[in-house]
Amino acid sequence: MTDSAQSIDPAEVAKFSAMAAEWWDPEGKFAPLHKFNPVRLDFIRREVAAHFNRDARSLKPFAGLSLLDIGCGGGLLSEPMARLGFAVTGADASERNIGTARTHAAQSGVTIDYRATSAEALAEEGLGFDVVLNMEVVEHVADVGAYLSACAGLLKPGGITLVATLNKTLKSLALAKIGAEYVLGWVPRGTHDWNRFIAPAELRAELEQTGLSILKTQGVSFNPLGWDWRLSNDVDVNYMIVAAKS
């Protein structure tokens, strides 16, 4: 593994590459992500609009801003971000994921710069973005510190990043690992390794070590009555952190 890809875990890349064709199937292996998407899209829209003083209700509120969707998978976030006006770069270590993303974007008529690469390689290019989305990625990388350092380096001064991941609690072990994979079968067995889950305090400390300032920690909970996801004060399982670069 080269220095420019030190955070990439080949086993994790292979795992998601094997499911690449199913990214856009709302009933397939990524069905839970399709259910999760509306709440995180709304959160991203509101937080970024507030940070850059944009009108979140306008048709393309983020025109003129650049966004990196790191670990973009099949593009489930990249495409709606492009439609909101961002100049989007989608990056993923899996060539197959990027292939799926490119094909779907072409079919949808959305312009996105998709790249099969790592955060470290992008940082080495000297690229900078107003927004870096880091959604459900940190629990799959080999070196969290190196990965977050590279991502922070990709933020322009005044930029904002949103990081979503899973807390390391007994509740997350029961629900996000055992329940989701073995009881309900929401995601394929082996999708997550609970030992790689990270507590909010630890993630905040890692982000602060890269020079970023923490703006918000937001819990996300599954609502079994409505069979949907909602923002909540509960960070025991899923949560998102918003941080900025001064």
Side-chain angles (χ1 to χ4, degrees):
M1 195 180 301
T2 66
D3 288 341
S4 65
Q6 61 182 303
S7 67
I8 292 175
D9 184 330
E12 292 294 299
V13 174
K15 181 194 303 179
F16 285 93
S17 292
M19 301 184 284
E22 297 196 47
W23 276 105
W24 288 94
D25 181 0
E27 305 299 326
K29 292 176 180 176
F30 293 103
L33 206 51
H34 283 267
K35 291 289 275 185
F36 194 27
N37 232 21
V39 70
R40 62 180 187 167
L41 283 170
D42 183 60
F43 182 74
I44 293 165
R45 183 171 185 153
R46 287 190 290 106
E47 291 300 315
V48 176
H51 185 75
F52 289 101
N53 195 28
R54 299 292 181 98
D55 182 1
R57 297 165 299 178
S58 64
L59 189 61
K60 290 185 179 293
F62 306 121
L65 295 177
S66 58
L67 178 144
L68 170 65
D69 183 8
I70 190 74
C72 64
L76 298 187
L77 283 175
S78 295
E79 287 197 19
M81 290 297 108
R83 290 191 179 96
L84 289 173
F86 282 113
V88 177
T89 297
D92 198 282
S94 166
E95 292 272 6
R96 291 189 65 186
N97 284 347
I98 290 299
T100 296
R102 282 177 178 154
T103 299
H104 196 275
Q107 292 171 344
S108 304
V110 181
T111 300
I112 297 169
D113 179 14
Y114 279 122
R115 304 187 184 194
T117 188
S118 67
E120 289 89 347
L122 290 171
E124 285 177 4
E125 289 185 45
L127 299 178
F129 301 88
D130 297 299
V131 179
V132 174
L133 296 185
N134 203 321
M135 313 299 277
E136 289 80 42
V137 182
V138 294
E139 68 270 24
H140 299 290
V141 301
D143 187 330
V144 173
Y147 172 70
L148 291 176
S149 179
C151 290
L154 288 162
L155 261 185
K156 292 180 181 178
I160 188 174
T161 185
L162 295 94
V163 185
T165 190
L166 291 147
N167 198 348
K168 192 174 183 180
T169 61
L170 290 177
K171 185 175 177 180
S172 71
L173 175 62
L175 297 180
K177 178 62 182 176
I178 298 170
E181 294 185 19
Y182 293 89
V183 178
L184 298 172
W186 282 354
V187 293
R189 294 183 179 187
T191 296
H192 291 112
D193 179 351
W194 181 78
N195 293 303
R196 292 191 174 194
F197 291 6
I198 183 170
E202 186 180 347
L203 182 54
R204 285 193 294 264
E206 291 275 9
L207 289 166
E208 287 173 338
Q209 274 214 303
T210 70
L212 302 184
S213 301
I214 306 302
L215 302 180
K216 178 181 288 189
T217 302
Q218 176 68 61
V220 188
S221 300
F222 182 71
N223 172 33
L225 294 179
W227 209 248
D228 59 6
W229 293 88
R230 296 180 181 177
L231 298 181
S232 74
N233 295 322
D234 184 355
V235 299
D236 286 348
V237 183
N238 295 84
Y239 67 94
M240 296 183 280
I241 290 178
V242 185
K245 189 172 191 175
S246 58

